[in-house]
Amino acid sequence: RRLGQIDAAQKHYADAEQLYRAERANLGLANVLKAMGDLESRLGQIDAAQKHYADAEQLYRVERANLGLANVLQAMGDLERLLEKTDAAISKYKTALSLYNSEREPMGRVYCMAELCRAYAKKKDEPRFLEFAQATKDAFVSVDEDVADYAIDCVREAKDIMISHTKNKYEEIDIDEWGSET
């Protein structure tokens, strides 16, 4: 729904990639590669997205750009989650979360915690599910409404997954009340 003019975007990204490579501007190149991966991910071009994300990850590491690295790891985790590679997604989200914590970036933190809650629910890992559900609840008030809504939706989905695994044990978690507690 938000893809707009795909051909134009791809051309602009290709032009920017060429320019950054010519100028040996690694951080700019990493940013455009990550953006290319995002677009390819949305288009279902998984192999191309993975390649661009991996190249961006390498450049962010070289440049020691931790926030960019966290963002690309989060995107890689999203892709792994969509491919139902839960352990790989958890690994990416945990590394991204650590970087977001060190950078004190609340939106990325909440996003990763909510995704970890969902991933641990899929793995039927009750203690980790509860840990990240609580952590998400404690932290989501510090972010904008869109991220908070996303986090609540993730935890709601995780709760539904856990209910299906545990015969309704988690129905008492009232996510709808979270916003009224602040």
Side-chain angles (χ1 to χ4, degrees):
R1 75 177 192 211
R2 295 175 36 196
L3 290 177
Q5 300 177 344
I6 296 167
D7 292 338
Q10 288 173 322
K11 182 183 180 334
H12 291 305
Y13 287 146
D15 291 346
E17 179 185 7
Q18 225 176 0
L19 176 65
Y20 288 128
R21 284 188 190 283
E23 295 297 318
R24 298 179 194 265
N26 284 344
L27 191 53
L29 179 57
N31 289 334
V32 78
L33 291 172
K34 198 263 185 201
M36 291 168 78
D38 290 344
L39 179 59
E40 291 155 349
S41 177
R42 289 184 182 110
L43 294 173
Q45 299 170 355
I46 304 303
D47 292 340
Q50 288 174 321
K51 168 90 169 84
H52 282 121
Y53 285 152
D55 291 347
E57 177 187 8
Q58 182 179 15
L59 291 168
Y60 285 128
R61 288 186 188 281
V62 166
E63 294 297 317
R64 298 184 180 176
N66 285 343
L67 191 53
L69 179 58
N71 290 335
V72 79
L73 289 169
Q74 175 185 310
M76 294 168 88
D78 292 345
L79 206 52
E80 298 291 0
R81 177 180 50 84
L82 292 173
L83 296 171
E84 298 189 16
K85 296 180 179 179
T86 306
D87 289 331
I90 287 171
S91 176
K92 298 293 184 190
Y93 288 136
K94 286 175 89 174
T95 305
L97 178 59
S98 176
L99 291 165
Y100 285 132
N101 284 334
S102 70
E103 294 294 317
R104 298 177 187 201
E105 204 294 306
M107 290 192 301
R109 287 182 66 242
V110 168
Y111 183 95
C112 284
M113 286 187 290
E115 287 297 348
L116 284 163
C117 178
R118 178 166 38 191
Y120 283 117
K122 285 189 179 202
K123 287 183 60 79
K124 302 178 188 175
D125 185 334
E126 182 178 354
R128 298 300 243 159
F129 157 74
L130 291 171
E131 173 189 346
F132 284 101
Q134 186 63 49
T136 302
K137 178 184 179 186
D138 293 345
F140 91 97
V141 295
S142 65
V143 297
D144 69 38
E145 188 175 335
D146 289 340
V147 175
D149 289 345
Y150 182 88
I152 288 170
D153 288 344
C154 278
V155 174
R156 183 174 284 121
E157 182 182 328
K159 173 187 160 186
D160 291 343
I161 293 167
M162 287 305 291
I163 287 170
S164 73
H165 295 317
T166 59
K167 299 185 175 125
N168 302 326
K169 182 177 178 179
Y170 292 98
E171 284 184 337
E172 74 275 3
I173 298 175
D174 192 356
I175 298 165
D176 294 324
E177 294 293 319
W178 286 14
S180 64
E181 294 178 11
T182 58

